[in-house]
Amino acid sequence: MSMVLLDKEVFWPPADELLEAAERIRRRLGEWPAGSKAWRICLSEPDHPRSGDLIVGNVEPLPDGVGRLTVGAGRATLHLDDVEYELEGEWSDDWPAALAAFLDCGFEPHDALVLALAWRPANLDELDAWPVDFSTFPRVANLPAAPSKPFPHCPDRLGLYPVLPSAEWVERVLDQGVETAQLRRKTTDSGDLKREIERSVAAGAKHQARLFINDHWQEAIKAGAYGVHLGQEDVDTADLNAIAEAGLRLGLSTHGYYEILKALHFKPSYLALGAVFPTTTKVMPTAPQGLPRLARYVRLLDGIVPLVAIGGVNGAVLRQVLSTGVGSAAVVRAVTEAPELAAAISALQHEFGR
């Protein structure tokens, strides 16, 4: 593998020992697509900070595109673009070198920081030099308490998971033997929403299927849905205690390591990992994850929580997605735009061994 670190200004001021350590780590991480931005770790404040600098220490104010990183006493905080990422735990003295290596692998700074804090020098002695021991990973700090009543469990492998726009689609898909589905109803009409959710929940009950409602947790509780699916932004506004007390399952969206750690704090029934591929069904907050990252997430989280791959998944790539070991894959257009629904579902189910 070519050593791309040698062609970049990785540390400021130059730090030969740190650069050598970063290169050792980076060499063992394998080939990864380069990130869209070259980051520089500044061990002291430069005279002229530039976009892409991560300055270690207390720096105010921060110019656009410049991050502040404070680490010490079991807590690490990254402040970047008016967002603060706080982590707590224990880590190796090698974290700056590991941070440089994971930034070079194309991870955004908050995800690269998670990996750097999980990194241990002993990883270099393993066949796989990535952090794979979940006990070494930091925790997201300053989160509200998880619900006192745990969310009910889901099967470890949820299988084919169509995300559908209407109750009619839910009925059609469940009639074909699909056991897990989600209603993602985009409407501001409260009457329409109530009818669509109640009709979808009834279809789920008829088929003894796992029917999740996207976003609208109050209506899902009232209708007695199997579960709800929420995005990261919804965790701050939804009443998770009410969802848990009602006995509904909870699925949470994630888009990288930091969001995975945040979501796990609330002990959800499953995690959605995405977007794996580019998707046009919704605006995504991050670039596509790709199969290599999906495989890493699956290896780290196997046995901890059920996982669903989501984003751009269709029949052409489903076999590759499932080869990562993920137990479920969400699809949208592979079902809703299929020329022949029964044949499309049969082909997709075949990839799951059904």
Side-chain angles (χ1 to χ4, degrees):
M1 186 188 78
S2 60
M3 286 310 301
V4 292
L5 284 177
L6 294 176
D7 301 323
K8 299 178 180 178
E9 186 179 17
V10 179
F11 295 100
W12 191 94
D16 291 343
E17 289 187 8
L18 273 179
L19 182 59
E20 290 173 3
E23 288 171 351
R24 283 195 300 271
I25 297 169
R26 178 66 184 91
R27 191 179 298 116
R28 295 292 310 282
L29 299 180
E31 294 285 357
W32 287 85
S36 59
K37 190 171 187 177
W39 296 94
R40 180 176 70 164
I41 302 171
C42 300
L43 306 174
S44 59
E45 185 176 359
D47 294 333
H48 303 287
R50 67 192 191 195
S51 179
D53 280 350
L54 298 177
I55 305 174
V56 179
N58 293 311
V59 181
E60 294 287 357
L62 287 175
D64 290 343
V66 175
R68 179 180 68 240
L69 184 59
T70 57
V71 179
R75 177 155 303 199
T77 304
L78 169 66
H79 190 99
L80 178 64
D81 296 332
D82 296 322
V83 180
E84 197 163 80
Y85 306 91
E86 290 191 80
L87 297 160
E88 57 186 11
E90 299 178 0
W91 39 79
S92 163
D93 291 340
D94 287 346
W95 71 264
L99 177 61
F102 289 114
L103 288 170
D104 192 68
C105 289
F107 288 93
E108 291 299 316
H110 55 288
D111 288 328
L113 180 60
V114 168
L115 288 166
L117 299 182
W119 170 264
R120 298 292 185 270
N123 290 118
L124 289 174
D125 299 328
E126 303 294 332
L127 183 62
D128 187 330
W130 274 71
V132 293
D133 181 355
F134 192 76
S135 68
T136 70
F137 276 69
R139 300 172 299 280
V140 177
N142 294 331
L143 292 176
S148 55
K149 181 177 180 178
F151 292 101
H153 292 291
C154 282
D156 289 338
R157 310 187 78 80
L158 287 167
L160 180 66
Y161 188 167
V163 179
L164 305 163
S166 69
E168 180 183 1
W169 268 109
V170 170
E171 291 168 346
R172 293 177 63 192
V173 166
L174 297 187
D175 282 344
Q176 297 297 323
V178 171
E179 297 177 342
T180 306
Q182 180 185 137
L183 174 69
R184 183 193 286 167
R185 185 67 172 172
K186 299 179 180 179
T187 181
T188 57
D189 184 331
S190 59
D192 171 84
L193 186 64
K194 181 176 183 293
R195 289 188 297 271
E196 289 289 306
I197 289 177
E198 289 179 347
R199 184 175 164 185
S200 298
V201 170
K206 173 185 174 182
H207 292 280
Q208 296 184 315
R210 299 176 284 268
L211 193 283
F212 291 87
I213 304 300
N214 184 272
D215 285 351
H216 302 287
W217 57 271
Q218 297 101 323
E219 292 81 0
I221 291 174
K222 293 175 184 176
Y226 178 85
V228 295
H229 180 92
L230 301 177
Q232 286 275 316
E233 66 283 358
D234 301 314
V235 169
D236 299 323
T237 58
D239 188 340
L240 300 187
N241 277 294
I243 297 170
E245 287 294 334
L248 274 64
R249 283 79 177 167
L250 175 67
L252 290 177
S253 295
T254 66
H255 308 90
Y257 282 101
Y258 185 90
E259 291 191 358
I260 286 171
L261 294 180
K262 180 180 176 182
L264 286 175
H265 167 79
F266 298 103
K267 299 179 174 58
S269 306
Y270 75 80
L271 291 185
L273 308 170
V276 182
F277 302 107
T279 177
T280 60
T281 59
K282 63 183 297 187
V283 177
M284 299 307 300
T286 57
Q289 299 286 318
L291 289 172
R293 292 195 188 191
L294 176 61
R296 286 289 169 192
Y297 301 147
V298 172
R299 179 167 182 183
L300 177 66
L301 300 171
D302 183 42
I304 294 176
V305 65
L307 302 172
V308 178
I310 190 169
V313 180
N314 56 36
V317 299
L318 181 56
R319 184 170 299 181
Q320 294 172 276
V321 169
L322 296 181
S323 72
T324 66
V326 72
S328 179
V331 298
V332 182
R333 290 179 299 163
V335 168
T336 60
E337 297 182 6
E340 209 289 305
L341 180 63
I345 289 179
S346 177
L348 293 168
Q349 293 280 46
H350 178 73
E351 297 297 337
F352 285 91
R354 297 291 301 275

